[in-house]
């Protein structure tokens, strides 16, 4: 038997309803913040990630899925969403669009060759957003608020919001020199990974999980103490904005994030629930003012975030959000030959009106059809046979109360609709009659 690849998994029908729910909320929150969706290919030229995420990042060093195509070109399955979006913005000249800044969101699978564990897969899904074309601190506030509003809409509590600033290009460069000088004589006191990292990616030493209580790391100089005046002004205003929204957040001077392209604000939202195990970061993001010009686009400031959707699902485990069972409006109980008695047409007309209707395909007995109707949580049974057909009528039975009425077929749709007014099961769509 062929099995799935390590670090991947199937989302089976029962689970996929949960996914659809968190995706619906994502789309609704994006709508109220007026973000538009962008969809980019799942694979890109490898160079895109080498030049953006960074040669020294863990992602590019050891996690990308690279392959040569039949034309011997190097391609990479996308490990994250920001670089492809920046590529698309440059290639499609979205930076020149009259509507600025561009407020974009994306959703889809990402691929990283990591050690699989709870909340960490090799194929995982990210929901992300980017605002491209404004250097205002208001935009940092907007993006952080978007991420928080999504969690609030899902009723995910027990979260900690952490923010920090890495400064602009110049202050980050100066700080990195200071940090390298500080780490040099202490290098033997750091973990093996940090001994390797300190030369090419010294920032990562600050947020190393192994060394988090190491006195060398605790006493290290922090980026926040090396901000230029304008970088400090920017960060102070981000803080002011978050305060004026009444958000609870903390400034974490050690927060740096793992991707090379961040400048100015970086942030993370961490779940304190034990449902997530050690992979507790729900969302990470920050500003990347130089990435677009580094990828040969015009000098364009930008800021973004990415949620891990698997972690959202984990955080919502056993919550009321997933408690509601899925229901259908009605199950058609077929007493006689469906091919001869117009049943297919009746079912189809109800569906075109937006009602969720199902019926039997296995030639089940009458009793078994009622059982199946209960299994799929039908609110009504529509009972129909030759007698009903000859009278142009149908029996409609409430699955919960057992109440039954005989309804003229011409009135069936309106009759059912009236039953679902003020009900928590609404029409699946406006239906083709309503379009
Ligand atoms: P990053 O793109 O590394 O900044 O990660 C942003 C978010 O994506 C993280 O906070 C996680 O929620 C999620 N994430 C990153 N890598 C994985 C993975 N291998 N499996 C599941 N979720 C991930």
């Amino acid at each position: 038997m062929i099995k799935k690849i390590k670090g991947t998994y199937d989302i089976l029908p029962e689970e996929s309803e949960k996914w659809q729910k968190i995706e619906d909320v994502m789309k609704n929150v994006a709508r109220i913040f007026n973000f538009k969706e962008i969809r980019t290919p799942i694979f890109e030229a490898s160079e895109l990630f080498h030049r953006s995420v960074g040669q020294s990042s863990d992602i590019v060093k050891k996690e990308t899925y690279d392959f040569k195509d039949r034309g011997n070109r190097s391609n990479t399955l996308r490990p994250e969403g920001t670089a492809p979006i920046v590529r698309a913005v440059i290639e499609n000249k979205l930076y020149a669009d009259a509507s600025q800044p561009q407020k974009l969101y994306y959703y889809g699978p990402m691929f990283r060759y990591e050690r699989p564990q709870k909340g960490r897969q090799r194929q995982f899904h990210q929901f992300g957003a980017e605002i491209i074309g404004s250097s205002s601190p208001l935009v940092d506030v907007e993006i952080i608020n978007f991420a928080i509003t999504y969690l609030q809409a899902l009723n995910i509590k027990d979260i900690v919001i952490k923010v920090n600033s890495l400064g602009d290009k110049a202050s980050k460069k100066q700080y990195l020199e200071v940090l390298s000088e500080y780490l040099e004589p202490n290098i033997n006191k750091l973990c093996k990974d940090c001994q390797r990292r300190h030369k090419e990616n010294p920032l990562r030493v600050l947020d190393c999980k192994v060394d988090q209580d190491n006195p060398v790391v605790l006493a290290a100089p922090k980026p926040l103490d090396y901000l230029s005046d304008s970088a400090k002004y920017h960060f102070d205003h981000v803080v002011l904005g978050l305060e004026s929204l009444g958000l609870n957040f903390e400034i974490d001077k050690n927060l740096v994030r793992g991707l090379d392209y961040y400048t100015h604000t970086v942030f993370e939202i961490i779940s304190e629930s034990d449902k997530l195990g050690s992979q507790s970061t729900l969302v990470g993001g920050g500003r990347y003012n130089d990435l677009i010009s580094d990828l040969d686009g015009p000098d364009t400031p930008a800021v973004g975030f990415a949620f891990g959707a698997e972690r959202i699902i984990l955080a919502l485990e056993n919550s009321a959000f997933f408690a509601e069972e899925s229901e259908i409006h009605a199950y058609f109980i077929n007493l006689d030959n469906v091919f001869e008695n117009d049943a297919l047409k009746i079912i189809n007309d109800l569906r075109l009106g937006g009602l969720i209707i199902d019926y039997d395909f296995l030639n089940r007995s009458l009793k078994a059809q009622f059982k199946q109707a209960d299994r799929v949580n039908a609110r009504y049974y529509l009972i129909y046979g030759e007698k009903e057909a000859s009278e142009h009528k149908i029996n409609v039975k409430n699955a919960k109360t057992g109440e039954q009425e005989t309804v003229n077929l011409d009135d069936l749709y309106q009759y059912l609709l009236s039953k679902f007014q003020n009900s928590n099961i609404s029409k699946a769509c406006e239906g083709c009659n309503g379009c």
Side-chain angles (χ1 to χ4, degrees):
M1 188 180 64
I2 300 169
K3 298 211 165 153
K4 62 183 180 292
I5 288 172
K6 187 174 172 191
T8 69
Y9 58 96
D10 302 306
I11 302 176
L12 300 175
E14 209 174 298
E15 276 294 292
S16 72
E17 284 190 8
K18 298 181 181 172
W19 284 77
Q20 286 174 351
K21 280 188 178 173
I22 67 161
E23 289 160 12
D24 285 348
V25 175
M26 168 189 100
K27 287 177 200 155
N28 289 339
V29 177
R31 205 168 295 136
I32 61 169
F33 277 77
N34 197 27
F35 279 69
K36 302 275 191 287
E37 190 186 11
I38 179 164
R39 300 184 189 193
T40 61
I42 274 171
F43 63 104
E44 298 270 355
S46 302
E47 189 194 354
L48 174 66
F49 300 108
H50 294 182
R51 281 176 55 191
S52 55
V53 176
Q55 299 278 18
S56 63
S57 65
D58 283 353
I59 296 180
V60 166
K61 264 202 132 54
K62 38 185 195 185
E63 293 170 5
T64 49
Y65 278 90
D66 303 312
F67 61 98
K68 289 262 193 247
D69 67 11
R70 286 168 197 266
N72 211 27
R73 285 170 288 257
S74 242
N75 295 331
T76 295
L77 294 183
R78 61 180 187 195
E80 59 102 52
T82 300
I85 284 168
V86 165
R87 197 255 324 125
V89 164
I90 298 170
E91 196 167 343
N92 297 289
K93 296 196 170 53
L94 293 189
Y95 53 79
D97 195 282
S99 159
Q100 293 295 331
Q102 289 282 313
K103 295 169 75 177
L104 306 169
Y105 80 94
Y106 61 90
Y107 174 70
M110 307 290 160
F111 306 85
R112 293 184 196 174
Y113 191 78
E114 296 191 88
R115 195 166 54 80
Q117 54 189 290
K118 191 175 178 187
R120 185 170 288 281
Q121 288 83 19
R122 291 185 174 171
Q123 175 173 337
F124 60 101
H125 297 77
Q126 280 188 338
F127 156 44
E130 319 285 348
I131 305 183
I132 297 177
S134 167
S135 57
S136 165
L138 256 186
V139 161
D140 308 43
V141 175
E142 172 93 342
I143 208 94
I144 296 172
N145 191 25
F146 181 176
I148 294 167
T149 306
Y150 180 54
L151 292 174
Q152 284 169 343
L154 295 167
N155 209 14
I156 293 181
K157 301 207 169 90
D158 303 327
I159 51 166
V160 181
I161 305 160
K162 293 183 172 182
V163 293
N164 192 21
S165 173
L166 304 178
D168 49 34
K169 200 174 189 171
S171 45
K172 187 174 165 188
K173 185 163 176 278
Q174 191 213 346
Y175 165 72
L176 284 177
E177 282 164 15
V178 174
L179 180 64
S180 291
E181 257 171 48
Y182 166 82
L183 291 176
E184 197 65 55
N186 293 304
I187 206 70
N188 295 334
K189 299 179 194 144
L190 298 176
C191 78
K192 282 233 153 55
D193 262 350
C194 288
Q195 293 191 9
R196 175 180 59 78
R197 276 184 191 132
H198 101 281
K199 273 230 148 37
E200 43 194 35
N201 202 352
L203 264 185
R204 293 311 309 275
V205 173
L206 290 193
D207 74 348
C208 170
K209 291 251 155 40
V210 180
D211 270 338
Q212 61 186 353
D213 297 321
N214 184 331
V216 174
V217 174
L218 292 177
K222 308 290 188 245
L224 214 51
D225 300 321
Y226 289 83
L227 299 187
S228 63
D229 286 348
S230 64
K232 188 170 176 337
Y233 177 92
H234 184 94
F235 188 60
D236 287 347
H237 281 76
V238 172
V239 168
L240 266 180
L242 296 176
E243 281 171 354
S244 70
L245 283 169
L247 297 172
N248 249 333
F249 63 95
E250 57 186 64
I251 295 174
D252 178 350
K253 289 185 165 194
N254 281 334
L255 180 66
V256 295
R257 310 277 315 128
L259 299 95
D260 282 2
Y261 50 62
Y262 286 124
T263 51
H264 285 284
T265 318
V266 282
F267 74 98
E268 269 182 6
I269 304 179
I270 294 160
S271 165
E272 289 194 311
S273 147
D274 49 18
K275 290 182 200 157
L276 279 102
S278 61
Q279 303 304 313
S280 57
T281 309
L282 294 169
V283 58
R287 198 167 252 291
Y288 52 94
N289 282 355
D290 304 308
L291 182 58
I292 297 171
S293 55
D294 286 350
L295 290 175
D296 306 323
D299 204 4
T300 310
V303 60
F305 69 65
F307 269 101
E310 281 73 9
R311 299 195 190 170
I312 297 291
I313 298 274
L314 280 177
L316 285 169
E317 225 168 36
N318 303 322
S319 75
F321 187 75
F322 287 151
E324 218 174 78
E325 278 188 77
S326 77
E327 292 176 306
I328 72 169
H329 290 105
Y331 193 89
F332 200 95
I333 308 278
N334 179 42
L335 301 178
D336 297 300
N337 190 342
V338 67
F339 289 104
E340 286 172 12
N341 63 13
D342 256 0
L344 291 179
K345 176 91 175 69
I346 299 167
I347 292 168
N348 207 43
D349 284 348
L350 295 176
R351 285 175 169 170
L352 294 180
L355 296 179
I356 310 165
I357 313 289
D358 207 354
Y359 65 105
D360 176 48
F361 296 96
L362 297 180
N363 213 7
R364 287 181 170 98
S365 70
L366 188 60
K367 196 169 154 207
Q369 287 188 52
F370 276 105
K371 254 202 170 144
Q372 175 64 8
D374 293 342
R375 232 177 263 132
V376 297
N377 264 328
R379 299 275 283 267
Y380 284 86
Y381 312 117
L382 305 177
I383 308 159
Y384 189 70
E386 264 162 29
K387 178 171 174 289
E388 287 75 14
S390 69
E391 293 169 1
H392 198 62
K393 289 192 173 137
I394 189 162
N395 293 314
V396 183
K397 184 168 181 178
N398 186 315
K400 280 215 177 82
T401 63
E403 265 171 82
Q404 181 168 317
E405 279 188 78
T406 304
V407 179
N408 188 300
L409 279 179
D410 299 334
D411 304 328
L412 177 62
Y413 178 63
Q414 285 307 331
Y415 176 87
L416 283 173
L417 271 194
S418 70
K419 296 289 178 193
F420 292 107
Q421 258 168 15
N422 308 323
S423 150
N424 59 355
I425 173 167
S426 54
K427 282 204 289 176
C429 66
E430 271 316 297
C432 301
N433 294 342
C435 297

